[in-house]
Amino acid sequence: MAERQYLCIDLKSFYASVECVERGLDPMKADLIVADPERCETTICLAVSPSLKKRGVKNRCRVYEIPKGIKYIMAEPRMQLYIDYSAEIYSVYLKYISKDDIHVYSIDEAFLDVTDYLSLYKMTARELGEKIREDILKTVGIPAACGIGTNLYLAKIALDITAKHSPIFLGELDEKSYRETLWDHRPLTDFWRIGAGTAKRLEDRGIFTMRQIANCREQTLYDLFGVDAEIMIDHAWGREPTLISDIKNYKTQSRSLSSGQVLSRNYSQAEGEIIVREMADKLALELFDEELVTHSVTISLSFGDKEKPMARATEKLLSPTSSAEQIIAASVKAYYRIMGKNDYIRKVNISLNNVISEPFAQLDFYFDEKKLVKEKKQMQAVSSIKKKFGKNAILRGTDLKEGATMRERNAQIGGHKSGGKRYGNEEK
């Protein structure tokens, strides 16, 4: 395969940087965190500015973990604003690169295949990366780090391990320099796709570095990780055959829809049922709007008692459906299979499994056609009202009960406030 050139661009402390720019502050110098001031001190900071990180404040820490002697600005999350900034930055990428050669990895990170553009601009990958970073800073005021690599994996590693710890926020790797400089790097969790669990299993076998993975007997790794060992071995050598075009052309064979919620306090059995009903109802409406149906529902619960392990239950539906009535009933049934009378929960996740297009679904022999048509008309009316007047324009009675969260969540994006106030902050 001919050597290619990739950029992996990351917007530094993105949410915090946006809030700094909005206030006319230098994102690299201001002491600012993004966290909801209306929540308790155990709430997680969604972002911490670079200057606070230098002073020992960890990214994604909880508010109470910030040393008492440090003064900072607490900015209320404004998720819609961050989406708007991200879209504007994407337009910067489009000045230089076709959308076909861009893979948006997250709201603040993207891969760019610049191979076919370097001769056009008469630049090296490093020079083009610098130019794009400068344009982002000029256009929106957000500083960015850039990793450059001869494949997607090396670009990501050049960003995560090299650029983010470089004074110029830029790193560059090919297979040779990767092995020369990072084969003995520790810890393994600094590398993409190696989490704490994976690292622990490797360490139990006396493997602590990429060099040791590369030189390990392959069958040992396959015994430990199955087919995932193939990716691990490739990455240990700095190889990655996947192209951005492969990612864009990939189609999943199966699909699911899910929703998760971390509760503000411990919820009892009865209170938890309200949350389950709300979440299942919302997922059913999403299915209906997309003309999809599901085969089954899975409920996962994390308990207030941290010693109690997470529990999970799946309930199959009689036939593939988007019926809110059936999905809610199945969700509640699964919930009571794992939720005891004296239990308290802190986190709920609901997943609708094996989602397919409605035209391909087979109807159950016993289904009530008149009842189904009536419910579809009701769901269509609800969907139309919500789209025209807002998600809280029409609600179920359970959404008004004490402990219900749907009204609040309808005003959020990704579980956080979408915005509203110009400045939701105070100095701490």
Side-chain angles (χ1 to χ4, degrees), residues 48-90:
V48 174
S49 65
S51 63
L52 282 176
K53 290 180 184 177
K54 286 184 178 180
R55 299 173 68 182
V57 179
K58 294 182 179 179
N59 196 35
R60 303 289 293 179
C61 69
R62 297 186 183 276
V63 171
Y64 73 84
E65 294 175 323
I66 300 174
K68 299 301 180 184
I70 295 179
K71 291 186 177 181
Y72 58 87
I73 294 170
M74 179 183 286
E76 183 178 281
R78 296 187 286 178
M79 301 307 293
Q80 186 57 56
L81 180 65
Y82 310 148
I83 292 171
D84 293 342
Y85 266 75
S86 183
E88 192 168 358
I89 291 165
Y90 183 77

Side-chain angles (χ1 to χ4, degrees), residues 130-174:
E130 286 282 19
K131 186 171 182 60
I132 293 173
R133 287 173 61 202
E134 289 170 3
D135 200 339
I136 293 171
L137 187 62
K138 180 181 177 181
T139 303
V140 294
I142 303 294
C146 179
I148 303 162
T150 50
N151 59 49
L152 289 171
Y153 172 72
L154 290 178
K156 176 66 171 169
I157 298 302
L159 172 72
D160 288 346
I161 300 181
T162 308
K164 288 184 178 180
H165 303 288
S166 162
I168 60 172
F169 306 124
L170 191 141
E172 190 168 2
L173 291 172
D174 57 19

Side-chain angles (χ1 to χ4, degrees), residues 14 25 41 48 72 88 118 146 162 169 171 187 244 266 274 276 334 358 395 416:
F14 180 49
L25 303 174
E41 286 197 332
V48 174
Y72 58 87
E88 192 168 358
L118 301 181
C146 179
T162 308
F169 306 124
I244 286 181
N266 289 340
I274 295 173
V276 168
E358 188 171 20
L395 299 164
H416 303 287

Side-chain angles (χ1 to χ4, degrees), residues 308-320:
K308 189 177 177 67
M310 185 183 74
R312 181 181 290 109
T314 297
E315 192 69 28
K316 291 185 178 180
L317 296 156
L318 289 176
S319 61

Side-chain angles (χ1 to χ4, degrees), residues 107-235:
I107 192 171
D108 62 349
E109 196 168 320
F111 290 94
L112 285 67
D113 184 348
V114 298
T115 309
D116 299 329
Y117 301 88
L118 301 181
S119 59
L120 173 65
Y121 297 127
K122 294 181 173 57
M123 292 180 177
T124 64
R126 187 185 188 99
E127 289 168 340
L128 183 54
E130 286 282 19
K131 186 171 182 60
I132 293 173
R133 287 173 61 202
E134 289 170 3
D135 200 339
I136 293 171
L137 187 62
K138 180 181 177 181
T139 303
V140 294
I142 303 294
C146 179
I148 303 162
T150 50
N151 59 49
L152 289 171
Y153 172 72
L154 290 178
K156 176 66 171 169
I157 298 302
L159 172 72
D160 288 346
I161 300 181
T162 308
K164 288 184 178 180
H165 303 288
S166 162
I168 60 172
F169 306 124
L170 191 141
E172 190 168 2
L173 291 172
D174 57 19
E175 290 183 25
K176 182 181 178 182
S177 61
Y178 169 78
R179 293 193 289 268
E180 289 174 347
T181 61
L182 296 177
W183 247 15
D184 296 314
H185 177 89
R186 292 192 185 190
L188 275 171
T189 49
D190 282 350
F191 291 86
W192 195 23
R193 290 181 55 89
I194 297 187
T198 299
K200 178 64 167 58
R201 294 172 72 182
L202 289 167
E203 289 169 5
D204 289 343
R205 295 298 183 100
I207 299 172
F208 299 90
T209 66
M210 280 296 181
R211 181 192 297 275
Q212 291 173 315
I213 293 175
N215 293 324
C216 179
R217 192 171 71 95
E218 289 191 1
Q219 190 56 51
T220 299
L221 297 173
Y222 277 101
D223 290 342
L224 279 172
F225 303 107
V227 295
D228 287 342
E230 181 178 351
I231 299 173
M232 184 179 293
I233 293 165
D234 274 349
H235 286 181

Side-chain angles (χ1 to χ4, degrees), residues 13-37:
S13 301
F14 180 49
Y15 298 165
S17 291
V18 170
E19 294 296 344
C20 287
V21 170
E22 286 286 302
R23 291 162 174 76
L25 303 174
D26 186 335
M28 299 303 296
K29 295 180 180 179
D31 292 335
L32 181 145
I33 66 168
V34 177
D36 191 344

